[in-house]
Amino acid sequence: VQLVQPGAEVKKPGESLKISCEGPADTFGTYWIAWVRQRPGKGLEWMGIIHPSDSDTRYSPSFQGQVTISVDKAISTAYLQLNTLKASDTAIYYCARSTFFGVIADHNWGQGTLVTVSS
Amino acid sequence: QSALTQPPSASGSPGQSVTISCTGTSSDVGRYDYVSWYRQYPGKAPNLIIYQVTERPSGVPDRFSGSKSGDTASLTVSGLQPDDEADYYCVSHTGTTNVFGPGTKVTVL
């Protein structure tokens, strides 16, 4: 499985960003797509998951209301929307093909999008 | 801020064993047998080494084992090797979503 993300984005504080995660069309609707954040030098944070078949979305409490996860099944692409960016949003954002229970097998991760928020 | 707790670091000499704990609550680790463990090398995506508390994906050596007692899950790495030096994260299902532990840095002395 190959999930394709943009490699890097540079934004200014206050701007918005929508990160894409494109997967293989034939299996895109069969697994949940998870988003995971990793700030520089810090640990992994589970942001939420979405099922492409019906857009059922589950956010982690820390990220509820702070980000928007969506999917366009027609183009096999999931999205992570970040609004009103702050310096603290600087991080690598991974998408991954996951089970509902948090199991992400090897080769099911996107390469990660490094988001830098700086004036 | 993680709802799970892990020791920030653990270490052992080559050939020794190290055990990492992952403590949650009766609402996550204690309630569900959906605890996974990931290993992450610097600059790389995580690798799955244990799922459903005790299961190993194919290709993961049996030096890695998982267990759970009450609200605490554990990962044991036996026969430590130099390339076991990495960050290790637990993940637990919470009923509606999942949560990572803060990670444990394992050092092979």
Side-chain angles (χ1 to χ4, degrees):
Chain A
V1 175
Q2 191 160 11
L3 297 175
V4 179
Q5 302 179 237
E9 300 275 0
V10 180
K11 290 291 185 180
K12 291 181 167 30
E15 293 183 334
S16 297
L17 175 64
K18 195 170 187 177
I19 305 171
S20 61
C21 170
E22 183 178 0
D26 56 346
T27 58
F28 190 72
T30 59
Y31 279 82
W32 296 79
I33 298 293
W35 287 94
V36 175
R37 182 175 76 177
Q38 188 165 37
R39 288 169 162 157
K42 302 297 184 184
L44 303 167
E45 299 174 272
W46 190 278
M47 303 178 73
I49 51 174
I50 188 167
H51 202 289
S53 66
D54 60 2
S55 296
D56 184 3
T57 308
R58 312 294 179 95
Y59 293 97
S60 290
S62 300
F63 293 94
Q64 179 81 48
Q66 308 302 308
V67 303
T68 303
I69 295 171
S70 61
V71 67
D72 186 336
K73 196 169 52 171
I75 57 172
S76 306
T77 301
Y79 299 97
L80 175 67
Q81 173 89 35
L82 307 173
N83 295 320
T84 319
L85 287 163
K86 303 179 286 293
S88 58
D89 293 315
T90 294
I92 297 173
Y93 293 85
Y94 292 102
C95 68
R97 198 172 82 162
S98 174
T99 72
F100 181 62
F101 303 106
V103 180
I104 302 170
D106 285 358
H107 309 299
N108 280 268
W109 294 81
Q111 75 266 42
T113 298
L114 174 60
V115 175
T116 303
V117 182
S118 174
S119 55
Chain B
Q1 195 164 0
S2 177
L4 307 179
T5 59
Q6 295 181 236
S9 63
S11 62
S13 299
Q16 290 187 331
S17 295
V18 66
T19 297
I20 304 166
S21 60
C22 171
T23 301
T25 69
S26 58
S27 297
D28 39 61
V29 175
R31 183 168 185 177
Y32 302 100
D33 285 338
Y34 291 116
V35 177
S36 303
W37 290 90
Y38 293 86
R39 176 182 61 195
Q40 187 183 35
Y41 295 115
K44 302 293 186 182
N47 296 115
L48 180 68
I49 51 175
I50 294 287
Y51 66 100
Q52 285 178 220
V53 179
T54 61
E55 301 300 308
R56 279 189 312 277
S58 62
V60 174
D62 59 6
R63 301 188 298 106
F64 294 90
S65 62
S67 63
K68 191 180 87 167
S69 178
D71 297 340
T72 298
S74 298
L75 171 72
T76 297
V77 185
S78 304
L80 271 173
Q81 299 180 0
D83 64 356
D84 292 331
E85 187 160 296
D87 294 322
Y88 291 80
Y89 297 90
C90 61
V91 173
S92 177
H93 188 61
T94 68
T96 55
T97 183
N98 301 284
V99 61
F100 278 103
T104 297
K105 183 174 183 58
V106 169
T107 301
V108 181
L109 303 171

